[in-house]
């Protein structure tokens, strides 16, 4: 010890760490909705993330409820050359409490069915996303997207397909999107985007089931914007061509509530033409949820610019050592069995028969619904998804039923 009035004579070794250069603020970012049960289809997640990187997003925050998205995030990072990967952040939400949260969610009754736990945390996720990107200095951010929702455009493409004339510059959709965002008036806090539903024509719904093709190549027809729908104010429309998401300036936005944003007093939001920017919603990605007559659909191949890149991404796979197996609480399946009985027991005899159970597989109970409204079977489908059950129309439902019918 050194006493009062004494001098310190011993040398001190100090190691100086090099100053880390701060990363540049993201120009365009998006945050995923809280993801869960992604382990069975990691290719969908890989394609979706890579698409938005190619479209110009330089920061992506992946919100993961149960750890199932982590392998796909690692695989995507490996697919980029050193130094070329975007700012890709994996964020775990409630890693220990997700099972309890899921159990709680099954007690929330809406129309006789419980919502999935994701609905309990979306507000938290959106707020975290907005505050995080305000702190990072991001110029623009979309605060929530799902793997079947892609930012799309028709006009922000190079000639001859779009209206972007970039001369000798990088003539790409990314360039067109960046040019457009740079042109937005400084008093605009957010761009309101509509939802365009991609579906299948009656009799062709099985033709788009090749998961080896990119989602944006499998589904090339969306619901038309009918004259009647044009006359309907956009905020009063249903899921098709209705308001669905917002691309906002974090520094000018107070808060986010689902698809709309609240700006600071000196700013305001504006609705964007669906030809300029929109959400392409591929609702048939896992099974036919929207099947209508052919004349109700319009062809759309605007995303063909990215097909070659996504085909290559589809060839990538999650490394065996990265594979995850998410444990599902037994209480959830007990609750789910009761929900299935409520939704599918049409003869009300207190038990499910094989034909009643098969309704979950063919989607006809709701696939003709252009508004994508709520139905009992659709709600059950969402609940099955929430516990990692992904069944397709081609599955053998008689065999599945026999496996599950423990008491005969």
């Amino acid at each position: 010890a050194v006493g009062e009035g004494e001098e310190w004579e011993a040398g001190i070794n100090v190691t100086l760490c090099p100053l880390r250069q701060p990363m540049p603020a993201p120009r365009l970012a998006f945050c995923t909705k809280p993801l869960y049960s992604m382990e069975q289809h990691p290719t969908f997640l890989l394609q979706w993330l890579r698409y938005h990187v190619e479209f110009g997003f330089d920061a992506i925050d992946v919100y993961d409820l149960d750890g199932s998205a982590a392998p796909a995030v690692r695989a995507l990072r490996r697919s980029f050359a050193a130094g070329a990967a975007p700012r890709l952040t994996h964020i775990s939400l409630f890693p220990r409490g997700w099972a309890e949260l899921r159990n709680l969610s099954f007690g929330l009754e809406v129309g006789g069915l419980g919502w999935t736990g994701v609905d309990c945390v979306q507000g938290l996720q959106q707020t975290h996303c907005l505050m995080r990107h305000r702190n990072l200095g991001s110029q623009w951010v979309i605060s929530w997207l799902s793997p079947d929702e892609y930012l799309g455009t028709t006009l922000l493409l190079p000639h001859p397909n779009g209206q972007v004339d970039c001369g000798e510059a990088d003539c790409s959709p990314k360039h067109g999107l960046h040019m457009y965002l740079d042109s937005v008036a400084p008093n605009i806090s957010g761009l309101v985007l509509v939802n365009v539903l991609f579906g299948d024509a009656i009799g062709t719904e099985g033709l788009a089931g090749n998961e080896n093709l990119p989602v944006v190549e499998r589904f090339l027809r969306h619901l038309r914007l009918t004259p009647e729908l044009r006359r309907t104010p956009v905020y009063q429309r249903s899921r098709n061509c209705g308001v669905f998401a917002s691309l906002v300036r974090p520094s000018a936005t107070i808060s986010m509530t689902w698809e709309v944003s609240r700006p600071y007093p000196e700013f305001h939001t504006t609705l964007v033409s669906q030809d300029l920017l929109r959400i392409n919603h591929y609702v048939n990605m896992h099974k036919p949820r929207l099947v209508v007559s052919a004349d109700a659909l319009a062809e759309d191949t605007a995303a063909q610019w990215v097909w070659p890149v996504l085909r290559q991404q589809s060839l990538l796979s999650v490394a065996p050592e990265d594979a995850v197996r998410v444990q599902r609480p037994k209480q959830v399946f007990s609750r789910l069995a009761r929900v299935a009985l409520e939704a599918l027991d049409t003869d009300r005899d207190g038990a499910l028969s094989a034909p009643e159970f098969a309704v979950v597989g063919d989607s006809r109970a709701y696939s003709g619904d252009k508004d994508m409204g709520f139905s009992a079977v659709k709600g059950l489908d969402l609940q099955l998804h929430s516990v990692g059950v992904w069944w397709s129309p081609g599955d053998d439902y008689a065999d599945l039923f026999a496996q599950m019918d423990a008491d005969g």
Side-chain angles (χ1 to χ4, degrees):
V2 178
E4 184 177 353
E6 299 179 352
E7 296 184 0
W8 181 271
E9 297 181 354
I12 300 176
N13 294 323
V14 177
T15 301
L16 298 178
C17 298
L19 179 65
R20 293 183 60 183
Q21 294 296 320
M23 295 181 66
R27 184 173 191 172
L28 181 58
F30 93 79
C31 299
T32 73
K33 291 180 181 179
L35 301 178
Y36 52 95
S37 302
M38 297 302 301
E39 69 275 7
Q40 298 192 36
H41 291 280
T43 299
F44 289 144
L45 183 57
L46 282 167
Q47 289 180 10
W48 178 58
L49 297 174
R50 185 57 182 260
Y51 170 91
H52 288 93
V53 171
E54 296 299 317
F55 201 6
F57 286 83
D58 55 351
I60 299 176
D61 293 348
V62 179
Y63 286 82
D64 190 356
L65 281 172
D66 57 7
S68 61
V73 171
R74 288 193 288 267
L76 182 65
R77 286 196 181 111
R78 289 195 296 266
S79 71
F80 287 93
R87 185 196 296 249
L88 192 60
T89 306
H90 180 251
I91 299 173
S92 295
L93 288 174
F94 303 118
R96 298 183 185 86
W98 172 231
E100 290 74 14
L101 179 65
R102 193 197 303 272
N103 289 340
L104 171 65
S105 75
F106 272 78
L108 302 177
E109 297 294 328
V110 181
L113 295 171
W115 286 101
T116 59
V118 68
D119 298 282
C120 300
V121 296
Q122 280 183 343
L124 172 64
Q125 174 267 317
Q126 280 194 289
T127 301
H128 182 273
C129 172
L130 179 64
M131 296 300 105
R132 168 175 157 80
H133 284 280
R134 184 185 296 168
N135 183 59
L136 289 175
S138 303
Q139 295 180 34
W140 294 94
V141 66
I142 294 182
S143 67
W144 65 327
L145 283 179
S146 286
D148 62 351
E149 299 160 6
Y150 287 62
L151 187 67
T153 183
T154 300
L155 297 181
L156 297 180
L157 298 172
H159 287 305
N161 297 321
Q163 295 187 355
V164 176
D165 185 5
C166 41
E168 299 298 323
D170 171 25
C171 208
S172 65
K174 175 193 297 188
H175 179 80
L177 177 58
H178 288 174
M179 283 200 312
Y180 167 68
L181 293 177
D182 289 344
S183 72
V184 175
N187 65 332
I188 299 295
S189 67
L191 306 175
V192 180
L193 309 176
V194 301
N195 183 48
V196 176
L197 295 175
F198 280 69
D200 293 303
I202 296 171
T204 67
E205 56 268 29
L207 301 179
N210 184 2
E211 292 188 10
N212 293 323
L213 289 177
V215 170
V216 295
E217 188 175 357
R218 288 166 56 197
F219 303 103
L220 302 176
R221 290 179 290 186
H222 61 71
L223 287 178
R224 294 183 182 275
L225 181 59
T226 63
E228 180 182 2
L229 203 54
R230 288 182 186 275
R231 292 191 295 268
T232 304
V234 68
Y235 283 94
Q236 296 178 18
R237 294 175 187 171
S238 60
R239 294 286 292 278
N240 186 42
C241 298
V243 171
F244 197 73
S246 293
L247 179 61
V248 304
R249 285 182 165 124
S251 61
T253 303
I254 297 176
S255 62
M256 298 291 302
T257 305
W258 302 98
E259 67 274 2
V260 296
S261 62
R262 180 185 176 192
Y264 282 100
E266 62 269 31
F267 298 91
H268 64 90
T269 62
T270 186
L271 180 67
V272 179
S273 163
Q274 70 177 57
D275 291 326
L276 193 60
L277 277 179
R278 62 176 180 266
I279 300 298
N280 288 341
H281 199 169
Y282 299 98
V283 294
N284 287 10
M285 190 169 75
H286 297 299
K287 63 171 59 177
R289 295 171 60 197
L290 179 66
V291 182
V292 295
S293 60
D295 58 3
L297 298 169
E299 186 175 0
D300 187 334
T301 59
Q304 61 182 316
W305 60 272
V306 77
W307 292 354
V309 174
L310 296 188
R311 286 173 190 162
Q312 285 298 116
Q313 193 72 58
S314 298
L315 298 177
L316 300 175
S317 60
V318 172
E321 62 271 18
D322 286 342
V324 296
R325 182 174 179 82
V326 180
Q327 297 296 320
R328 313 295 174 186
K330 291 183 178 180
Q331 305 96 302
V332 167
F333 286 98
S334 298
R335 171 62 184 147
L336 184 58
R338 293 194 295 272
V339 171
L341 194 62
E342 295 169 10
L344 303 178
D345 183 21
T346 54
D347 61 9
R348 296 304 174 198
D349 65 350
L352 285 186
S353 64
E356 288 173 330
F357 176 74
V359 172
V360 180
D362 64 21
S363 303
R364 285 179 295 181
Y366 54 80
S367 62
D369 178 12
K370 295 181 183 180
D371 293 338
M372 297 299 295
F374 184 85
S375 70
V377 177
K378 185 187 210 174
L380 177 60
D381 205 18
L382 291 172
Q383 295 287 25
L384 290 169
H385 175 193
S386 77
V387 295
V389 179
W390 300 72
W391 288 331
S392 302
D395 289 340
D396 186 341
Y397 276 76
D399 181 60
L400 286 171
F401 182 79
Q403 293 180 41
M404 297 175 65
D405 186 19
D407 60 4

